[in-house]
Amino acid sequence: MPTNTLADQPRRAAFDLLRGVAEQSAYANLLLPSLLRDRGLSGRDAALATELGYGTLRAQGTLDEILAACASRPLSTMDGPVLDVLRLGAYQALRTRIPAHAAVATTVDLARATGNGRASGFVNAVLRRVTAAAWDQWCDRLSVGAPALHRLAVRTAHPDWIAAAFADAVDGDLAETEAALAADDTRPQTHLVAWPGQLERDALVTEAGGTPGPWSPYAVRLDGGDPGGLAAIRSHRAAVQDEGSQLCGLALANARLDGPDDRWLDLCAGPGGKTALLAALAGPRGARVVANELHPHRAELVRQATSAWDVEVWVGDARALTDAGYDRVLLDAPCTGLGALRRRPEARWRRGPDDVPELATLQGELLAAALRLVRPGGIVAYVTCSPHLAETRDVVAKAELVDARPAFPGVPQLGAGPTVQLWPHRHGTDAMFCALLRRV
Ligand SMILES: C[S@@+](CC[C@H](N)C(=O)[O-])C[C@H]1O[C@@H](n2cnc3c(N)ncnc32)[C@H](O)[C@@H]1O
C-alpha cells in the first residue's frame, strides 16, 4: 500500500510531541497546540494527533512493560526515537479502534518517515508480537498474581505510588480506587469560565457549544474543539478553567465572614486563573485583590490574566510577606498536580514519590504564612490540585478548620467534611482539594 504522506501528518505530529517531551522535557499540553498550528492540522487530523500523542504519553509505563515483553533486547538499549515509534504503534494497536494491521503498517511507515528506516524490520517484528493479545490480556499477563492495587495500576496506566495515593485518599475502598484510576485514564472534557461581569454564561454556551457546568454559575463544559479560537477567549471575556478550580475560588469568595471584607490576597497566584475569578467577584463587592507570585515570568502571566480588573501583583516568596490583615486569603499551593493527570498526560511518569515530602514541607510553611497574613476572624482557603493525603489532610491537620461543604452548594458526594475533595470520577472535575480555615 503506498504511503499517503498527508494521512500520516497526525502520526508525525504525535511522534514529534513524544520526542519533545522526552528530549526537552516539554509539557505536552503546551507543545501540542503549537505543533498543530505550525502544521496546519485541524478537525479530525488534530483530533487524531491529540488522541495518539496524549494517549501514548498517558499509557507509557504499561506500554513499556508490554514492549519489553515483546522485544529481543532491553528498552534501555533502544534509540529514543525508535522506542517512541514503538510506543505509538502499541498504543494504536491496543488502545484505539485502529485495526491492528493498520497500526503496524502505519507505524513501520512512520519509522521510515522519521529517519528510522533501518529499524523498520525490528519495529514490524515487535509490533506483530504486541498485536497477538489485547490490552486487557496483556495487563493480566503482566500482573498475574500481583496485589489488586498493582493490577489496577497496570490496567489504568498509573505508577504504583499514584495508585496507592488515590487508594489512601478514598480510605482504601478498592472499587472507588478503580473508578478514580479509570476516570484518570480517560480524555477529559475542556472546561471554560465566563468571567463574571464580562460575559453571560449562556452567551458562552451559544458561542462555544457544550453544556453549562452543573455547579459553578460561570462554567461551560465542552467535549472537544479548539477553545483558543473562540472570540470570547481571544477577547479575554472567558478562559479555560476547570470547574473544580472555579468551585474552590467561589468557596473562598462565598465563605461566611463577619466584619470587614475588602482586602483579599492570592498568595501563590501564577498563572492567575483563580486570581482573575476572585478579582471579577471582588470588584462588585467593593473588595480589592492583591496577588503574589514567586516567579517573575509567572507574575507577568497574572498581570495579563487580570488586566480587566484592579489587581495589584507582587513578585516574591509568600513566606516572607509581612503586609498582614487580609480578610480572605487564597493559598493555591504548589503541589504534585496528581489531581490533574488527565490534562497533563506525561506527568504521571515524570513525577515520583520523592517529590512529595519537599512539597509538603513547603505547603506547611506557606499555610503558616497565610495564617499570619489573614486578620483574626478572617478566612483562608487552602487548595491543592492533588488528592495526596500528605498534601491535603496532613498539611491542615493542626489548623482550625471550618466545614467547607456549605461553600460548595449543590455539589454532591462531598463526604464527611470538614474538607472537600473533588474527583474526576465523582464530579468530572480535576481532583481539587479545598480546606477552609478561620484564624482565631
Ligand atoms: C498551583 S499554582 C497556582 C495556580 C493559580 N492559583 C491559578 O489558578 O492559576 C502555585 C503557584 O505558586 C508559585 N509558588 C511556588 N512557591 C512559592 C512561594 N514560596 N511563594 C509564592 N509563590 C510560590 C508557583 O510558581 C505557582 O505559580
Side-chain angles (χ1 to χ4, degrees):
M1 204 169 52
T3 304
N4 179 341
T5 48
L6 264 186
D8 281 341
Q9 283 295 316
R11 288 181 174 81
R12 181 65 204 239
F15 171 79
D16 290 338
L17 178 70
L18 266 52
R19 293 314 300 147
V21 168
E23 284 185 321
Q24 289 133 32
S25 299
Y27 294 107
N29 62 338
L30 300 185
L31 177 56
L32 184 68
S34 62
L35 280 174
L36 297 179
R37 212 178 314 114
D38 291 351
R39 286 146 204 227
L41 292 180
S42 59
R44 289 174 59 171
D45 283 349
L48 180 60
T50 306
E51 161 64 14
L52 299 186
Y54 278 15
T56 302
L57 287 169
R58 221 183 279 126
Q60 187 168 300
T62 301
L63 291 173
D64 282 2
E65 287 194 47
I66 296 169
L67 290 168
C70 294
S72 49
R73 53 199 177 84
L75 268 45
S76 58
T77 64
M78 292 180 198
D79 284 346
V82 173
L83 180 55
D84 277 340
V85 166
L86 283 170
R87 287 168 172 157
L88 268 171
Y91 178 77
Q92 288 171 71
L94 299 176
R95 302 217 80 186
T96 71
R97 274 185 269 171
I98 296 167
H101 65 86
V104 176
T106 54
T107 306
V108 171
D109 284 350
L110 181 68
R112 294 199 184 102
T114 55
N116 297 291
R118 71 199 176 290
S120 57
F122 174 68
V123 167
N124 187 47
V126 172
L127 288 183
R128 283 190 182 284
R129 275 176 232 132
V130 168
T131 57
W135 175 263
D136 286 351
Q137 292 168 314
W138 273 117
C139 293
D140 287 346
R141 269 187 221 173
L142 291 171
S143 55
V144 68
L149 192 58
H150 178 67
R151 293 207 302 276
L152 284 180
V154 170
R155 191 177 293 269
T156 60
H158 285 81
D160 282 330
W161 74 278
I162 294 179
F166 279 29
D168 289 345
V170 296
D171 295 328
D173 181 326
L174 202 60
E176 177 140 27
T177 305
E178 179 169 9
L181 291 169
D184 210 42
D185 188 32
T186 55
R187 191 172 60 85
Q189 288 182 310
T190 300
H191 294 184
L192 307 180
V193 57
W195 295 125
Q198 304 279 321
L199 181 67
E200 290 298 322
R201 190 246 300 265
D202 288 352
L204 184 56
V205 172
T206 304
E207 184 187 344
T211 51
W215 307 299
S216 162
Y218 313 110
V220 174
R221 296 185 175 197
L222 299 181
D223 280 331
D226 172 21
L230 295 170
I233 291 197
R234 278 190 272 122
S235 62
H236 305 294
R237 289 170 300 134
V240 174
Q241 187 173 58
D242 181 73
E243 186 171 358
S245 286
Q246 297 174 42
L247 292 173
C248 292
L250 286 165
L252 173 67
N254 296 334
R256 194 184 60 76
L257 184 68
D258 296 325
D261 187 13
D262 50 16
R263 297 185 67 209
W264 296 10
L265 173 65
D266 187 352
L267 210 48
C268 293
K274 292 189 194 68
T275 323
L277 181 58
L278 291 179
L281 297 167
R285 287 163 56 173
R288 186 153 188 265
V289 176
V290 170
N292 180 76
E293 163 60 42
L294 179 63
H295 298 293
H297 67 282
R298 289 177 73 80
E300 186 49 40
L301 296 177
V302 179
R303 279 189 201 100
Q304 288 167 15
T306 59
S307 59
W309 301 278
D310 176 25
V311 174
E312 194 173 335
V313 180
W314 296 344
V315 183
D317 190 323
R319 292 170 293 184
L321 290 183
T322 52
D323 177 49
Y326 288 90
D327 303 307
R328 298 181 193 263
V329 176
L330 173 65
L331 169 51
D332 188 15
C335 70
T336 54
L338 296 195
L341 295 177
R342 300 174 307 161
R343 302 192 193 281
R344 299 180 198 137
E346 75 286 354
R348 69 188 63 185
W349 308 110
R350 203 174 254 175
R351 285 262 178 215
D354 295 347
D355 296 330
V356 177
E358 198 180 324
L359 281 165
T361 302
L362 175 60
Q363 290 155 356
E365 291 169 3
L366 289 167
L367 184 60
L371 287 167
R372 211 169 14 79
L373 295 167
V374 75
R375 68 164 168 83
I379 195 120
V380 172
Y382 174 78
V383 174
T384 60
C385 184
S386 168
H388 196 303
L389 292 180
E391 302 187 88
T392 59
R393 188 193 63 187
D394 297 355
V395 176
V396 298
K398 294 194 189 114
E400 190 76 29
L401 293 175
V402 177
D403 190 350
R405 291 172 300 170
F408 288 76
V411 184
Q413 291 186 275
L414 293 181
T419 60
V420 161
Q421 179 63 65
L422 302 173
W423 284 102
H425 68 286
R426 288 187 195 164
H427 306 102
T429 62
D430 290 346
M432 303 295 301
F433 171 86
C434 179
L436 294 181
L437 299 79
R438 194 178 304 280
R439 179 169 165 192
V440 283

